Amino acid sequence: MKNIKLLSLLLLTAMSTCVFAQRKKETPVYKDRTKPIEKRIDDLLSRMTLEEKVMQLNQFTLGRNDNANNMADPVNDIPAEIGSLIYFSSNPELRNHLQKKAMEKSRLGIPILFGYDVIHGYRTVYPISLGQACSWNPSLVEQACAVAAQEARMSGVDWTFSPMIDVARDGRWGRVSEGYGEDPYVNAVFGVASIKGYQGNDLSGSKNVAACLKHYIGYGTSEGGRDYMYTEISNQTLWDTYMLPYEMGVKAGAATLMSCFNDISGTPGTANHYILTEILKERWQHDGFVVSDWGAIQQLRAQGVAKDRKEAALKAFTAGVEMDMMNQCYNNHLGELVKEGKVSEDLLNDAVKRVLRVKYRLGLFENPYTPYTKEEERFLLPQSLKIAEQLAEESVVLLKNDNNTLPLGNISKIAVVGPMAKSSWHLLGSWRAQGKSEDAVTLFAGLENEFRNKAQLSFAQGCDFDGDDRSGFDEAIDISKDADIILVCLGEKAQWSGENASRSTLSYPQIQEDLVTELSKTGKPILLLLSSGRPLELTRLEKLSQAMLQVWQPGIAGGNPIAGIISGRLNPSGKLSITFPYATGQIPIYYNHRQSARPHQGKYQDIPSTPLYGFAHGLSYTTFQYGDIRSSATKVKRDGKLTMEISVTNTGNRDGAETVHWFISDPVSTISRPVKELKHFEKQMIRKGETKTFSFKIDLLQDLGFIDSNGKRFLESGEYYIMVKDKKVMVEVED
Ligand code: BGC
């Protein structure tokens, strides 16, 4: 009896081992997390039909788009095989429902990749990117992007269409708000910081999302500042101005890129083989994928290079765009193009592999679903709000401060005027993701918090953002007469900047300027709080005011730190990442223009030729004294080493942070170069009376060298200048 029992036990064990082994054998390689990603991709690819491959290369929307520029009917019956969806909801349940369909109803169970525009925050909305760059604090921006990633991923988003690193020098273009300003290096540094914040060290982390560099390339120079327009970019300018942020972004590991809308010197970016394949994939070895911008493939018809959607699909795909965002081109025509032999199987397979690679790296095959969490566990966490406050504070730029009008010392009566004072909606700017105006601290609320029991605040709106209703002027003048200072909160509505929001002039609306003119007649000092998504023309307002703070669109947490700067609790440290023109007619105006043939002639006859506020301008409540630049050598061999140092002393009577900008210039080169080029910057807190050393370790080829029209970096022997403010040293590079 005992033996029989033992025998059946042995038999059972043997059977279950067998079943287990069988099951293990049956787990396909592509589902086996122990196998290397490339092996899993190959295995999966080998099982896919043509139709399944094609579907991986399409992105539809899930629900109705919330972007007014891109209205399209929601796709009601989403195929289980779809590659990607744009996800507008912040509820993981909807994602999980769709993902379940993909995992369980599709033949191979390939997870869907959910993408969304998380541009300057998700629910915790940060200042717009143009403002973020004025902080000169990339590590803070990295932290903000990490919070945005955490909020988004926990809500069902795997992939953000950010950062936008298009160098932009025309404030009329509404999307100037979305990038980091006029300088290639600044866009590169902040772009890299945001990639690190979004992607973390490991894309599969439960709080990380894949980044997307956009809009590859040259979109920021749309002719006349009009969105979606033609761009004229020589190969030289393409390389020395527009490529650097993308090159650094790709090196930093950005998982994806988005192709641009614009037509670059005759070849649309979305059909540009040189940019998308020769440079990105072959030279830079990017192994993620490129998604088209919304509709950019079918728009090749409007751009006059494709007769129909099928030809558009052919051009975009063979140029190197792997995913079709809302074009109905790849899903309808790619299979046919492969069957006709116009698109090779190899190219198709390479594209599918790229998309799958990003999905594997995100860990979607292992964790396709988003765990359900309460909103309070994801959004507006104390640490997230702290970062939002600090970033808003550091992005504020004190443009002007006559007679130390700021900070407000012993002022007892403050009149607060203007359409921006009590607005919360407009402080969030464009692309606010899941931001809600009720989360925002308005400028007025911030002032109330700051000056409670210290000063008396009165309020009158005075006028609206635009229009010609002056009926509120009298009330604003009345409260101002009785005040020690007038705080006028002006600005742009959120929808006046961003996509498809170009302007022909950078002036403030007449009604806002008129309000300030009338208030100035009271003889009371005026402080302007200026909130906009672009650099505006401040020439007339500047004359009417004693102090001006550019606060950008500071996001939900701006009110308190801005009020803190006004009271003096905080010391402003922001500096401009973009030039503020004297007049719109000066555009294009940016610090790093090329040399002119007659630098002392060619001026405007009717206005100054210099901007009102130049790049890197920004005041503090303290004063900083710069020592001379100390160079480790005056002559250096091409393969030598060079370090610069400068001491900065806080000579004022309060602590303050200072950013040192290191520029170089190369007066004689084979290629005419910009008059100066930013190569390094560093921000440090300097206590009053303290001296800090700032240094710049020069990489000779990268920092002193230049790049030619083929993207080849070179270093010529000769004299170079290294500059910080008005300090300058010369070094000679020897053969
Ligand atoms: C914009 C992109 C954006 C996409 C998806 C397009 O219109 O140009 O920047 O990522 O829409 O919303």
Side-chain angles (χ1 to χ4, degrees):
M1 189 63 188
K2 222 176 174 189
N3 281 349
I4 292 177
K5 264 193 180 168
L6 195 70
L7 205 68
S8 29
L9 194 73
L10 277 173
L11 207 68
L12 254 172
T13 321
M15 269 168 69
S16 55
T17 320
C18 222
V19 169
F20 181 71
Q22 181 74 17
R23 249 196 229 131
K24 202 166 171 222
K25 224 168 109 197
E26 274 170 10
T27 303
V29 173
Y30 79 93
K31 286 192 175 165
D32 186 347
R33 63 173 72 207
T34 64
K35 295 280 184 303
I37 284 183
E38 291 305 314
K39 288 233 155 30
R40 297 175 73 183
I41 295 174
D42 286 342
D43 178 62
L44 179 50
L45 198 73
S46 70
R47 297 166 190 263
M48 291 170 81
T49 63
L50 176 62
E51 289 67 32
E52 283 164 342
K53 288 180 186 174
V54 167
M55 278 321 285
Q56 280 304 306
L57 305 178
N58 287 276
Q59 181 180 60
F60 296 163
T61 61
L62 178 54
R64 180 163 283 286
N65 196 358
D66 55 3
N67 170 2
N69 301 305
N70 291 336
M71 281 309 171
D73 288 334
V75 181
N76 291 325
D77 192 18
I78 291 170
E81 294 76 19
I82 188 73
S84 175
L85 288 171
I86 304 187
Y87 191 61
F88 304 112
S89 168
S90 62
N91 182 350
E93 264 174 36
L94 181 58
R95 171 214 167 93
N96 291 343
H97 172 71
L98 250 292
Q99 193 71 296
K100 194 167 179 342
K101 181 169 171 187
M103 300 307 291
E104 293 176 9
K105 297 275 179 324
S106 72
R107 194 174 65 89
L108 294 162
I110 305 176
I112 300 171
L113 174 64
F114 292 84
Y116 189 51
D117 290 282
V118 184
I119 309 294
H120 53 114
Y122 186 70
R123 173 70 184 268
T124 305
V125 177
Y126 293 98
I128 54 169
S129 308
L130 188 60
Q132 293 182 18
C134 296
S135 73
W136 300 95
N137 192 343
S139 83
L140 187 58
V141 168
E142 183 180 330
Q143 290 172 46
C145 291
V147 171
Q150 166 250 310
E151 291 189 346
R153 189 86 192 246
M154 289 176 79
S155 303
V157 176
D158 311 304
W159 174 31
T160 172
F161 310 135
S162 169
M164 185 187 107
I165 47 172
D166 295 320
V167 170
R169 295 166 166 181
D170 187 340
R172 294 172 302 176
W173 189 53
R175 303 196 80 169
V176 81
S177 62
E178 292 176 45
Y180 303 104
E182 72 190 32
D183 183 75
Y185 178 71
V186 176
N187 274 282
V189 170
F190 280 96
V192 168
S194 55
I195 295 163
K196 285 192 194 156
Y198 289 138
Q199 299 193 167
N201 294 328
D202 173 10
L203 260 191
S204 69
S206 61
K207 294 180 179 167
N208 300 337
V209 294
C212 181
L213 306 178
K214 73 185 191 186
H215 308 82
Y216 189 54
I217 194 172
Y219 185 30
T221 188
S222 289
E223 225 174 44
R226 288 174 60 199
D227 221 339
Y228 317 121
M229 290 299 277
Y230 176 81
T231 60
E232 182 57 56
I233 309 174
S234 69
N235 260 16
Q236 180 57 45
T237 306
L238 180 73
W239 276 102
D240 68 39
T241 303
Y242 297 100
M243 283 293 206
L244 182 74
Y246 287 95
E247 188 173 5
M248 283 179 62
V250 168
K251 276 199 190 128
T256 70
L257 288 89
M258 186 182 288
S259 75
C260 59
F261 287 132
N262 48 293
D263 168 347
I264 308 159
S265 311
T267 308
T270 296
N272 202 312
H273 188 265
Y274 174 67
I275 286 164
L276 295 165
T277 296
E278 289 161 54
I279 302 307
L280 179 66
K281 300 182 215 301
E282 292 170 5
R283 202 181 294 185
W284 294 344
Q285 297 285 301
H286 185 251
D287 66 358
F289 70 88
V290 176
V291 62
S292 76
D293 202 344
W294 178 294
I297 301 176
Q298 55 91 1
Q299 285 165 201
L300 294 176
R301 296 172 303 165
Q303 285 168 301
V305 298
K307 65 174 184 302
D308 51 25
R309 278 192 155 85
K310 185 172 172 186
E311 195 179 3
L314 176 65
K315 291 219 162 172
F317 193 73
T318 50
V321 175
E322 281 88 20
M323 187 177 278
D324 167 328
M325 179 194 280
M326 292 302 285
N327 293 278
Q328 302 287 327
C329 286
Y330 288 2
N331 56 334
N332 289 324
H333 303 291
L334 199 51
E336 212 177 309
L337 287 165
V338 174
K339 283 183 194 150
E340 289 167 4
K342 292 186 176 139
V343 166
S344 71
E345 291 247 9
D346 281 354
L347 195 64
L348 179 75
N349 287 344
D350 179 65
V352 177
K353 278 176 151 192
R354 288 169 179 274
V355 171
L356 295 176
R357 194 171 286 133
V358 172
K359 293 187 177 188
Y360 273 112
R361 286 183 180 158
L362 278 161
L364 292 180
F365 283 82
E366 283 68 50
N367 300 303
Y369 303 108
T370 304
Y372 182 76
T373 46
K374 292 194 192 114
E375 290 207 348
E376 312 83 90
E377 295 170 61
R378 292 178 255 157
F379 298 151
L380 309 171
L381 304 179
Q383 179 59 14
S384 315
L385 290 172
K386 218 172 130 207
I387 295 169
E389 285 208 357
Q390 198 186 333
L391 196 46
E393 174 202 332
E394 295 198 30
S395 60
V396 170
V397 182
L398 178 60
L399 295 172
K400 160 179 173 140
N401 194 18
D402 286 355
N403 310 321
N404 295 329
T405 305
L406 284 178
L408 301 188
N410 292 327
I411 280 201
S412 55
K413 285 184 176 171
I414 305 172
V416 183
V417 176
M420 194 56 89
K422 289 197 173 176
S423 165
S424 44
W425 178 255
H426 298 300
L427 295 181
L428 270 53
S430 73
W431 295 116
R432 55 195 54 213
Q434 301 294 341
K436 299 204 179 331
S437 50
E438 60 263 32
D439 296 337
V441 181
T442 65
L443 298 176
F444 190 76
L447 290 164
E448 278 186 317
N449 295 339
E450 190 72 27
F451 289 98
R452 187 164 296 128
N453 306 327
K454 289 185 205 135
Q456 191 190 319
L457 297 186
S458 54
F459 170 75
Q461 185 174 307
C463 68
D464 205 343
F465 285 93
D466 53 358
D468 50 14
D469 183 359
R470 299 163 68 102
S471 61
F473 277 26
D474 285 348
E475 190 193 355
I477 293 166
D478 277 353
I479 64 160
S480 299
K481 280 184 185 152
D482 191 34
D484 302 316
I485 187 160
I486 319 171
L487 260 62
V488 196
C489 307
L490 304 179
E492 289 190 307
K493 289 184 176 178
Q495 63 269 29
W496 290 359
S497 62
E499 186 174 349
N500 196 16
S502 308
R503 290 180 59 178
S504 70
T505 165
L506 297 182
S507 311
Y508 266 82
Q510 192 62 47
I511 189 86
Q512 297 194 41
E513 289 202 358
D514 286 352
L515 175 67
V516 182
T517 306
E518 294 308 315
L519 292 170
S520 72
K521 293 179 185 160
T522 61
K524 297 294 167 99
I526 292 184
L527 159 63
L528 298 180
L529 292 188
L530 306 165
S531 169
S532 60
R534 48 160 66 83
L536 287 173
E537 192 184 299
L538 301 174
T539 311
R540 288 166 300 283
L541 288 171
E542 188 265 334
K543 292 197 180 74
L544 298 169
S545 61
Q546 282 61 49
M548 299 201 295
L549 279 174
Q550 174 68 29
V551 305
W552 304 109
Q553 286 153 333
I556 58 165
N560 287 328
I562 291 167
I565 288 176
I566 294 170
S567 75
R569 174 171 59 80
L570 302 168
N571 188 356
S573 63
K575 289 177 193 277
L576 296 178
S577 57
I578 193 161
T579 299
F580 274 52
Y582 179 92
T584 308
Q586 290 182 327
I587 290 173
I589 187 163
Y590 47 94
Y591 86 91
N592 41 358
H593 56 86
R594 286 182 209 274
Q595 325 266 2
S596 107
R598 294 187 178 182
H600 303 297
Q601 292 183 17
K603 309 280 180 199
Y604 292 113
Q605 295 190 355
D606 51 343
I607 54 166
S609 292
T610 46
L612 186 65
Y613 296 114
F615 179 78
H617 168 78
L619 306 173
S620 166
Y621 294 155
T622 187
T623 45
F624 297 106
Q625 197 177 20
Y626 282 62
D628 288 328
I629 300 175
R630 302 183 295 272
S631 173
S632 61
T634 50
K635 291 185 182 203
V636 62
K637 297 267 181 226
R638 295 162 168 282
D639 56 353
K641 286 192 168 44
L642 199 55
T643 303
M644 301 285 149
E645 280 186 357
I646 195 164
S647 300
V648 181
T649 305
N650 181 340
T651 49
N653 55 12
R654 57 166 71 218
D655 302 344
E658 177 68 339
T659 300
V660 168
H661 297 94
W662 295 90
F663 296 94
I664 73 107
S665 96
D666 178 6
V668 183
S669 164
T670 310
I671 297 168
S672 172
R673 293 177 64 165
V675 287
K676 51 184 205 169
E677 299 161 43
L678 183 73
K679 293 294 175 179
H680 182 60
F681 61 85
E682 188 187 355
K683 185 174 191 176
Q684 290 194 52
M685 171 56 76
I686 314 181
R687 308 267 166 226
K688 65 176 173 186
E690 193 183 18
T691 299
K692 283 265 173 87
T693 301
F694 291 74
S695 58
F696 172 25
K697 274 206 175 83
I698 296 183
D699 173 327
L700 294 186
L701 180 62
Q702 187 68 30
D703 298 326
L704 300 185
F706 204 48
I707 197 155
D708 70 13
S709 59
N710 292 314
K712 191 172 176 320
R713 211 160 259 290
F714 63 92
L715 175 67
E716 293 178 334
S717 52
E719 293 174 355
Y720 292 85
Y721 290 92
I722 319 294
M723 299 169 295
V724 170
K725 285 190 178 265
D726 57 345
K727 311 283 178 182
K728 187 170 175 170
V729 295
M730 195 261 282
V731 288
E732 201 182 326
V733 174
E734 298 177 323
D735 271 330

